Amino acid sequence: PVDRSPEIQEARLKLPILAEEQVVMEAVRENPCVVICGETGSGKTTQVPQFLYEGGYASGNGIIGITEPRRVAAVSMSHRVAKEMSLSTVVSYQIRYEGNVTDETKIKFMTDGVLLKEIQKDFLLQRYSVIIIDEAHERSVYTDILIGLLSRIVPLRNKKGMPMKLLVMSATLRVEDFTENQKLFRTPPPVIRVDARQFPVTIHFNKRTPLEDYTGESLWPMFFSGILVFLTGQVEVHSLCRRLRKAFPFRKGNTTTADTSEAMRKFKKAKQKKTVSLPRIDLDNYSALPVDEGDEDREAGIGDEEDGGSDLDIGDDPADTEEKADPSIPLYVLPLYSLLAPEQQAKVFRPPPPGTRLCVVSTNVAETSLTIPGIKYVVDCGRVKKRFYDRVTGVSSFKVTWTSQASANQRAGRAGRTEPGHCYRLYSSAVFGDFSLFSEAEITRRPVEDLVLQMKDLNIDKVVNFPFPTPPSAEALVAAEQLLVSLGALEEPPRTGRVKEIQRARLSCPITPLGRAMASFPVAPRYAKMLALGKQQDCLPYVIAVVAAMTVRELFEDLDRPGRSEDESSKLTQRRARLTQMRRLWAGQGASLLLGDLMVMLGAVGACEFAGCTPKFCEANGLRYKAMVEIRKLRGQLTNAVNAVCPEVGLFVDPEMTPPTEQQVFCLRQIVVAGLGDHLARRVQAEDVLDPKWKNGYKTPLMDDPVFIHPTSALFKTMPEFVVYQEIMETTKMYMRGVSAVEAE
Ligand code: ADP
Ligand code: MG
């Protein structure tokens, strides 16, 4: 029996999904797999687990598992459901490094990656009576794989007399990839459509589309209340928040009634008095178009990737007086993005302080994963930050691109949850017309060697035959298989025999014992290989530290962004000098120098741990505190994983790790080359430089164009003839990251 508070009970009754409780429960009873579609905010994530709990699905041995593509959602939804049910010990979450699961847990929220790891330990997922795959429309790689695996696990469980249910939940009605895919479900699962109960949203297009400073454009509708702004990444979110706080300062005790028309009048007056120096935007530039009310074809984009790239926390700068508006219009400005601390995230669900107007500035986490109450105005920049990979070379870059039409409509829909709303698109309708209709499934856009290794470890040898909702390209599968063979994770395919058979064999190589060990490490195969080799010469603690550092993005603060004021830029110059000095120190001497950037990482991790991994140490030495904390957690996790594979080494994380000896450095370099062997580059010899673009360039086997060593690299001056690199990122040039020297034989 669940005892809910009257307020919770009342709020629940307003959710469209409540009307469908019987339908949902009956469909689940009658079918092994059920699909539920319902507009964001209709109550799927918070209510369906409760229906199942009350329906007795967690009363036996099995529990209810729910997967989310994002950590934010897993954590905040578990808290919300625990609160709604007033049963805090029954509802838990598990994300990569942390969780609060106990023996009492009956409803478990987790990231999709966590469940995939559990399948490796127990293919039948015997602890669960139900699995709910949430946010399936996001088409994250792990979600897709999980649906494929569960389409096999569910019938197996039923056959073994341990029945299990699968629910797939989506915020869009476009679910054919799951339901119409014969390879996936031979009998199409029933689809329950939850009435959207969406209010109309009027769309206002910009007449022209700003190419730069679109965050500036998003400042103008700020005299409204209940605003949600979609930007592309953390840096942008923080910078707009700062501008808004300056333009509309909010101080305690300085609040007026949040009357929009009054606020607007004051805003206009303030503007005339020139106290506001916001970008001047003519309201007449916006045309109003009613959005199709019957627009059912909505879909969100794939998982946002705003976690990538640098995520500087930009503090307020009191010296900046660039924007000032009438201070009597208090705006309560809140940032929102995946990596934001949970306490900060939780703020968006609480009502703003009385007499203030809520304005949330978000990346696309607010597109479908989280429903923010009280939003009436949406400002959409129309863009999204994504990581792009080159199919052949694996070169990746973060790019901000236009989002899809489906995604833009999903964003607009956020304005119509509680009453009719407005969406201001900072781009023209013509530009919108050129957007792709839907975003692509993530699996078709990135290398898949990690997935292939995981599948082989599950004894799925013929990965091509796996029931992917959308299969990755054949090229990507072949490339993955080749890499894994070269790393020794898969058996070599036969070289003789009939052409067709060889081809077939090349795509179905079974896993080797080394491959199994690698699969048990929660890092990409190249790094897993290094861990598997690390036992020599007591190198493991170093390998673990280096691998952890390579896996976490952006150890060092990005000090190259332009200074905002004279003052700040002189401070920046100082900090840059300090970081350069530290890098030189961490790079070591003699033999260590050859390990290059990896030695710098190792030195940074060692020094930071030695100092107790404090924000102060990081700040003083140009390290990103968040990254260092993540590395610390990952070191712990990798140490446990290695101990599980070879308990005899009895590893532990030593905060006072001494620098490696010369012998160990030699050994580390061999290990690094073994892992990154296919990422080899050779310096172009002076006599070969015919084209000036090749000056100081390196040649890689797969690319026609040169790649370079970044000026901040430890090997920038040395320029060894042969190097291996961690990855190539395209920014202003093609730069190798994580460079280490290889001695020519
Ligand atoms: P869906 O999964 O269909 O998008 P949810 O179950 O996430 O819908 O949300 C249902 C309702 O619960 C929404 O109105 C949302 O505002 C509310 N809600 C979700 N999380 C919280 C929270 N932490 N605090 C307050 N309300 C919340
Ligand atoms: Mg949801």
Side-chain angles (χ1 to χ4, degrees), residues 122-126 152-164:
D122 174 15
F123 189 76
L124 291 178
L125 289 173
Q126 298 178 67
R152 299 301 182 266
I153 294 171
V154 171
L156 260 175
R157 283 271 302 260
N158 288 337
K159 219 192 263 165
K160 292 196 183 244
M162 306 180 287
M164 177 190 200

Side-chain angles (χ1 to χ4, degrees), residues 11-20 36-48 51 169-171 193-198 368 371 414 417:
R12 286 185 85 211
L13 287 175
K14 290 198 190 119
L15 296 172
I17 193 106
L18 257 279
E20 309 293 335
I36 303 179
C37 301
E39 180 62 49
T40 304
S42 54
K44 300 181 301 296
T45 310
T46 52
Q47 306 309 316
V48 172
F51 296 167
M169 306 208 290
S170 164
R193 288 161 203 264
V194 182
D195 163 34
R197 212 190 283 166
Q198 174 81 10
T368 61
T371 311
R414 308 295 95 243
R417 292 302 312 151

Side-chain angles (χ1 to χ4, degrees), residues 7 37 53 69 131 168 313 325 338 342 365 367 501 554 663 670 673 727:
E7 302 90 81
C37 301
Y53 179 82
I131 293 287
V168 175
D313 278 349
S338 291
V365 268
E367 195 175 290
E501 269 159 30
E554 313 286 348
Q663 263 299 309
Q670 287 185 324
V673 173
E727 60 176 349

Side-chain angles (χ1 to χ4, degrees), residues 86-338:
S86 332
L87 286 170
S88 55
T89 54
V90 162
V91 191
S92 311
Y93 72 87
Q94 179 68 50
I95 59 176
R96 185 163 179 182
Y97 307 110
E98 59 187 63
N100 57 4
V101 177
T102 64
D103 288 347
E104 286 178 64
T105 301
K106 294 288 180 194
I107 299 179
K108 174 170 161 189
F109 282 86
M110 64 201 127
T111 43
D112 42 19
V114 165
L115 187 64
L116 191 60
K117 275 276 158 218
E118 290 188 13
I119 292 183
Q120 269 168 319
K121 297 212 180 85
D122 174 15
F123 189 76
L124 291 178
L125 289 173
Q126 298 178 67
R127 286 176 55 203
Y128 299 92
S129 56
V130 187
I131 293 287
I132 306 172
I133 305 288
D134 200 5
E135 309 281 354
H137 60 275
E138 290 211 11
R139 305 301 309 275
S140 89
V141 169
Y142 289 139
T143 295
D144 272 17
I145 303 276
L146 282 174
I147 293 176
L149 286 168
L150 284 158
S151 75
R152 299 301 182 266
I153 294 171
V154 171
L156 260 175
R157 283 271 302 260
N158 288 337
K159 219 192 263 165
K160 292 196 183 244
M162 306 180 287
M164 177 190 200
K165 302 291 184 183
L166 169 66
L167 277 79
V168 175
M169 306 208 290
S170 164
T172 73
L173 296 170
R174 190 166 167 268
V175 288
E176 298 86 66
D177 285 350
F178 308 130
T179 56
E180 309 283 295
N181 185 336
Q182 290 278 322
K183 254 175 111 181
L184 201 55
F185 300 110
R186 208 163 304 142
T187 349
V191 179
I192 299 172
R193 288 161 203 264
V194 182
D195 163 34
R197 212 190 283 166
Q198 174 81 10
F199 292 91
V201 175
T202 315
I203 303 279
H204 308 266
F205 282 106
N206 207 345
K207 275 202 187 130
R208 50 174 200 94
T209 304
L211 294 178
E212 275 159 36
D213 194 28
Y214 51 89
T215 59
E217 289 258 328
S218 61
L219 280 170
W220 77 263
M222 292 308 160
F223 42 82
F224 297 136
S225 180
I227 309 155
L228 172 61
V229 187
F230 284 102
L231 297 179
T232 67
Q234 282 177 51
V235 174
E236 257 177 38
V237 165
H238 276 294
S239 114
L240 182 62
C241 283
R242 194 180 48 221
R243 291 172 79 170
L244 286 173
R245 284 183 186 137
K246 247 158 237 150
F248 305 93
F250 159 62
R251 286 184 201 94
K252 285 217 171 77
N254 173 26
T255 57
T256 56
T257 47
D259 173 15
T260 309
S261 57
E262 173 71 356
M264 201 157 170
R265 195 184 58 75
K266 283 193 175 161
F267 179 86
K268 283 189 174 153
K269 221 170 113 193
K271 223 175 160 176
Q272 278 163 7
K273 280 197 279 175
K274 294 238 174 27
T275 49
V276 186
S277 64
L278 299 177
R280 210 163 309 148
I281 293 160
D282 189 351
L283 290 194
D284 296 337
N285 270 345
Y286 286 81
S287 62
L289 287 179
V291 95
D292 243 331
E293 275 192 63
D295 183 6
E296 292 183 331
D297 217 10
R298 293 188 175 174
E299 181 197 87
I302 45 184
D304 71 353
E305 299 188 23
E306 87 273 7
D307 297 1
S310 59
D311 61 324
L312 299 157
D313 278 349
I314 304 166
D316 276 4
D317 176 2
D320 193 332
T321 51
E322 182 193 325
E323 283 145 11
K324 275 237 161 19
D326 189 335
S328 67
I329 315 165
L331 192 69
Y332 184 58
V333 184
L334 295 174
L336 183 65
Y337 50 83
S338 291

Side-chain angles (χ1 to χ4, degrees), residues 450-512:
D450 54 337
L451 301 172
V452 171
L453 181 60
Q454 303 299 337
M455 287 189 195
K456 300 273 177 173
D457 191 42
L458 292 168
N459 299 319
I460 301 167
D461 283 345
K462 292 197 179 66
V463 176
V464 235
N465 291 349
F466 184 78
F468 293 102
T470 306
S473 73
E475 282 164 287
L477 286 175
V478 170
E481 203 113 351
Q482 277 174 353
L483 173 67
L484 292 171
V485 169
S486 77
L487 290 172
L490 303 182
E491 278 172 27
E492 292 259 358
R495 283 165 200 273
T496 53
R498 271 186 276 163
V499 178
K500 257 204 174 138
E501 269 159 30
I502 293 176
Q503 273 176 350
R504 210 174 306 139
R506 268 175 49 200
L507 270 171
S508 54
C509 308
I511 193 164
T512 61

